[in-house]
């Protein structure tokens, strides 16, 4: 039997649940749906880790966030970042794990009232395969998975991460303490989120 074909009218009538944020978040990233895959990358010292924590805190306004801290664990640097962005303010909506396998994560996410947003930091440190990301997307089509990637020559490091970038509806590259939207929901060319204003002023003296 042939698979169903949609008419333009049917597609246009479909509705999606999107992130209801506004302000600087909407200006930089538009209004992506709440089940999009994200891929965030950038060189060391670009402000990427700080951006991810700011994003995590913002997302707690819309659901529980699970942070898979594979790369840093609960090291002193991670602790300092929690303090810098006052993550204690979202205590009940932000959780951290450091060693879940894909199977353990799936079991965790099948629980009632499981997290809505899952941050994987980093994809390379998780030792997951590209096929693992596909499995998670198929198993939990209503959840948002946000992958943090190492970078090499301006691109995600490794072929699995590069394939994942093609899948991602929201692609973000951090550079010079700015997070640039490169995904399907880009509101305008050059749209970006300011990660650290003082850092930009110190390095370029230009916030534009």
């Amino acid at each position: 039997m042939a698979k169903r074909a949609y008419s333009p009218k049917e597609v246009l009538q479909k509705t999606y649940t999107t992130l209801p944020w506004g302000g600087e978040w909407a200006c930089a990233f538009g209004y992506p749906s709440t089940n999009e895959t994200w891929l965030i990358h950038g060189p060391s010292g670009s402000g990427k880790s700080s951006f991810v924590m700011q994003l995590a805190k913002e997302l707690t306004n819309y659901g529980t966030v699970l942070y898979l801290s594979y790369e840093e664990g609960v090291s002193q640097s991670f602790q300092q970042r929690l303090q810098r962005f006052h993550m204690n303010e979202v205590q009940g909506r932000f959780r951290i794990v450091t060693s879940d396998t894909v199977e353990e994560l799936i079991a965790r996410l099948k629980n009632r009232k499981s997290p809505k947003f899952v941050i994987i930091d980093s994809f390379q440190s998780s030792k997951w395969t590209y096929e693992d990301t596909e499995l998670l997307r198929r198993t939990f089509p209503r959840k948002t998975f946000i992958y943090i990637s190492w970078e090499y020559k301006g691109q995600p490091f490794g072929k699995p991460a590069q394939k994942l970038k093609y899948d991602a509806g929201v692609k973000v590259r951090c550079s010079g303490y700015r997070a640039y939207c490169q995904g399907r929901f880009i509101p305008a060319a050059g749209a970006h989120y300011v990660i650290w204003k003082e850092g930009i002023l110190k390095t370029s003296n230009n916030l534009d």
Side-chain angles (χ1 to χ4, degrees):
M1 181 182 294
K3 293 183 178 179
R4 179 181 177 184
Y6 292 91
S7 70
K9 181 179 179 180
E10 289 175 316
V11 174
L12 291 170
Q13 287 177 337
K14 287 176 69 68
T15 59
Y16 300 89
T17 302
T18 60
L19 287 171
W21 55 20
E24 56 189 348
W25 292 100
C27 288
F29 306 108
Y31 295 92
S33 56
T34 55
N35 63 342
E36 279 297 335
T37 296
W38 289 54
L39 191 287
I40 301 170
H41 63 101
S44 178
S46 63
K48 179 177 61 185
S49 295
S50 292
F51 169 69
V52 172
M53 195 62 73
Q54 291 175 63
L55 174 63
K57 189 172 185 181
E58 174 65 21
L59 290 176
T60 62
N61 292 314
Y62 318 113
T64 303
V65 176
L66 179 66
Y67 198 114
L68 303 175
S69 184
Y70 290 119
E71 188 165 327
E72 291 185 277
V74 287
S75 64
Q76 185 179 17
S77 61
F78 189 82
Q79 180 192 63
Q80 290 172 344
R81 207 170 304 120
L82 292 178
Q83 293 172 336
R84 187 181 312 132
F85 297 107
H86 308 287
M87 298 303 287
N88 59 307
E89 296 174 352
V90 293
Q91 177 78 14
R93 289 162 283 153
F94 183 76
R95 288 290 181 266
I96 304 150
V97 298
T98 61
S99 60
D100 272 17
T101 64
V102 171
E103 292 74 22
E104 289 169 335
L105 176 61
I106 287 174
R108 187 188 296 275
L109 295 180
K110 284 184 176 179
N111 290 332
R112 187 169 174 268
K113 295 185 178 180
S114 64
K116 187 173 183 178
F117 304 98
V118 183
I119 298 174
I120 300 91
D121 188 7
S122 63
F123 176 55
Q124 288 80 7
S125 295
S126 73
K127 302 295 194 296
W128 293 0
T129 65
Y130 171 76
E131 289 70 28
D132 290 330
T133 70
E134 289 187 308
L135 174 62
L136 286 168
R137 193 163 53 245
R138 289 196 308 269
T139 308
F140 304 103
R142 295 184 179 181
K143 295 187 184 295
T144 296
F145 291 94
I146 301 171
Y147 295 90
I148 317 307
S149 175
W150 301 346
E151 184 178 280
Y152 179 69
K153 294 185 177 180
Q155 293 298 324
F157 179 80
K159 289 184 179 180
Q162 291 173 15
K163 288 177 68 176
L164 183 56
K165 183 176 180 178
Y166 282 109
D167 287 343
V170 184
K171 315 171 207 289
V172 180
R173 183 171 189 261
C174 298
S175 177
Y177 307 115
R178 296 178 174 93
Y180 293 91
C181 181
Q182 300 176 326
R184 299 165 190 155
F185 299 92
I186 182 169
H192 66 271
Y193 174 89
V194 174
I195 302 168
W196 184 35
K197 184 184 297 184
E198 291 78 7
I200 295 173
L201 292 172
K202 286 180 180 178
T203 55
S204 69
N205 200 34
N206 183 3
L207 283 173
D208 295 331

